[in-house]
Amino acid sequence: MQTKRLGVAFAALSLLALSACGGGDGSSTASGQGFKVPNIPAQKALGAGEGEVNIVNWAGYAEDGSNDKSVDWVHPFEKQTGCKVNSKVAGTSDEMVALMKTGEYDAVSASGDASLRLIAGGQVAPVNTALVPNYADVFAGLKNKPWNSIKGVAYGIPHGRGANLLMWRSDKVATAPDSWSAVFDQGSAYKGHVTAYDSPIYIADAALYLMSAKPDLGIKDPYALDQKQFDAAVALLKQQKANVGEYWSDYTKEVQAFKSGDSVIGTTWQVIANLVAAEKTKVGTVLPKEGATGWSDTWMVAAKAEHPNCAYKWLDWIVSPKVNAQVAEWFGEAPANSKACAETSDKSFCTTFHAADEAYFSKVHFWTTPIAQCLDGRTDAKCVDYAQWTRAWTEIKG
């Protein structure tokens, strides 16, 4: 892969729980995700562009050449469609939700924890995929997922995806690990040099490990934890804390930590591993045998978009093969469009990021927001919501 410096670190997850919409006027029947869905129709036809589009996005998703002159897919879009792009970079999912609530934006690149809140809150509308021709070429493994659809109705266009991997310094860790036990049960062997992702959602990583390490807990979904399961995950993380040298959310800091040897084993993204290796540091990565957590972003359209036609044009543009390839390489993630792989400058890029490997991604539990109604389908138990995950994370870190 080209080791061009990324435009951004992937921002931290939201600190607030999903606010469930109650019943009342405008709400449909229960969605299965634990809330009622506002009755908002999808756009039926595509009209002329309104001349501009206001978007909320992660940094690196709407590059206009200002960070790198060779990285620009905004100006070509403006020239082709006549829709001027007004981009607002958000640093967190909380900020994205807050900005969308203002009604000033037409589209947003939401992560799984924000997307459900936006749907439940009525800030976004279902997407008419027939108005987005390039949607046809999106990998099937990204369509109609719990974080971007409700009962088979699409609420956005998939942008890309990635897994949270286990990375280690191969010159300091004698035996290549194949399990998350290396950072949980065996972390003391690297005391002070274990690293972990700095977010309440990291509790899901512990829960995922416990799914196989302690099957008697009955965990089926790392984001659907009853109190007993949640307490077990928190206890594991408090145990791990004694061995953690640094919690990271800024990818540049993790690169430097592995380069210096301050960190020798822990959670990472493939792009970070590539950058560390480019620094002539010996590292290995693996998707552990237990699987992993990960992310998948979705472009969504505001329910009351002032510029809906330009918004739809942007959705189709950003997921088009050439542009989706540009974004994926710049940010460091698997593209959503299956035809994007033929457009990447590094012809091994999609292999490195497992873009077409559905067997690989079947082992990835994509981030979503824990809510009181258990996401694993249980009706006889109450699950711990994200507000409690946030409080517990503060306790874990001390």
Side-chain angles (χ1 to χ4, degrees):
M1 157 182 180
Q2 289 184 330
T3 55
K4 179 187 295 182
R5 183 179 178 85
L6 293 184
V8 63
F10 192 85
L13 290 178
S14 164
L15 296 181
L16 297 180
L18 173 67
S19 299
C21 288
D25 295 343
S27 293
S28 69
T29 57
S31 70
Q33 267 96 333
F35 55 87
K36 290 191 175 182
V37 184
N39 187 17
I40 300 171
Q43 186 164 329
K44 294 183 178 180
L46 190 63
E50 300 86 358
E52 63 179 333
V53 61
N54 302 319
I55 64 175
V56 177
N57 56 279
W58 296 116
Y61 276 12
E63 291 298 303
D64 61 3
S66 57
N67 289 315
D68 184 324
K69 290 182 180 179
S70 67
V71 181
D72 180 2
W73 48 85
V74 167
H75 287 116
F77 168 78
E78 293 176 335
K79 183 177 180 180
Q80 179 173 308
T81 66
C83 300
K84 183 180 184 300
V85 176
N86 302 310
S87 169
K88 173 67 175 178
V89 173
T92 66
S93 288
D94 266 357
E95 188 179 354
M96 283 191 171
V97 173
L99 288 168
M100 290 303 290
K101 284 183 177 179
T102 68
E104 298 175 7
Y105 297 91
D106 305 300
V108 58
S109 62
S111 295
D113 61 323
S115 57
L116 291 182
R117 284 193 288 155
L118 292 169
I119 294 171
Q123 278 81 48
V124 294
V127 167
N128 183 346
T129 58
L131 303 182
V132 184
N134 283 302
Y135 180 75
D137 297 316
V138 169
F139 287 109
L142 283 169
K143 295 179 177 179
N144 296 318
K145 295 302 177 181
W147 59 88
N148 62 24
S149 68
I150 301 293
K151 288 188 172 180
V153 176
Y155 270 78
I157 302 300
H159 173 96
R161 55 184 168 175
N164 297 315
L165 304 174
L166 176 61
M167 179 167 70
W168 65 94
R169 278 281 298 260
S170 54
D171 57 345
K172 295 182 180 295
V173 176
T175 303
D178 66 353
S179 166
W180 289 113
S181 64
V183 295
F184 290 122
D185 294 342
Q186 299 153 22
S188 59
Y190 317 104
K191 187 176 178 63
H193 299 287
V194 174
T195 188
Y197 188 54
D198 190 1
S199 169
I201 207 67
Y202 185 65
I203 294 172
D205 290 59
L208 183 143
Y209 173 60
L210 291 174
M211 286 171 67
S212 58
K214 292 189 176 180
D216 56 304
L217 286 169
I219 299 174
K220 303 299 182 185
D221 182 330
Y223 307 102
L225 306 176
D226 60 34
Q227 195 64 56
K228 180 180 178 181
Q229 296 166 338
F230 182 76
D231 289 345
V234 170
L236 180 60
L237 290 168
K238 287 182 176 179
Q239 173 186 310
Q240 183 197 44
K241 171 65 166 58
N243 302 315
V244 172
E246 180 180 44
Y247 292 98
W248 68 274
S249 58
D250 183 338
Y251 80 96
T252 60
K253 291 183 178 179
E254 192 183 25
V255 169
Q256 291 305 313
F258 268 85
K259 182 180 178 182
S260 68
D262 288 342
S263 295
V264 301
I265 193 165
T267 310
T268 196
W269 303 325
Q270 183 63 57
V271 64
I272 296 175
N274 294 343
L275 291 170
V276 173
E279 295 286 346
K280 308 303 180 183
T281 301
K282 295 180 179 179
V283 293
T285 59
V286 68
L287 179 72
K289 60 186 180 183
E290 299 90 357
T293 58
W295 76 88
S296 176
D297 293 340
T298 302
W299 282 99
M300 312 180 88
V301 176
K304 297 181 180 179
E306 186 178 350
H307 312 101
N309 295 309
C310 280
Y312 266 86
K313 290 177 184 293
W314 173 259
L315 264 60
D316 193 48
W317 174 264
I318 203 68
V319 78
S320 61
K322 184 176 181 179
V323 176
N324 201 223
Q326 287 179 285
V327 182
E329 284 195 284
W330 176 249
F331 188 81
E333 63 188 346
N337 193 312
S338 60
K339 293 183 177 179
C341 293
E343 301 290 342
T344 57
S345 58
D346 175 1
K347 297 310 175 186
S348 65
F349 180 84
C350 281
T351 299
T352 299
F353 284 82
H354 303 276
D357 191 347
E358 296 302 340
Y360 176 90
F361 281 111
S362 70
K363 302 173 185 177
V364 178
H365 298 257
F366 291 106
W367 284 334
T368 191
T369 305
I371 57 177
Q373 179 173 319
C374 297
L375 298 171
D376 58 6
R378 283 181 289 172
T379 57
D380 59 349
K382 182 178 180 180
C383 280
V384 179
D385 66 25
Y386 202 40
Q388 295 178 72
W389 284 48
T390 300
R391 290 193 291 271
W393 186 244
T394 301
E395 294 174 4
I396 290 165
K397 291 181 63 180

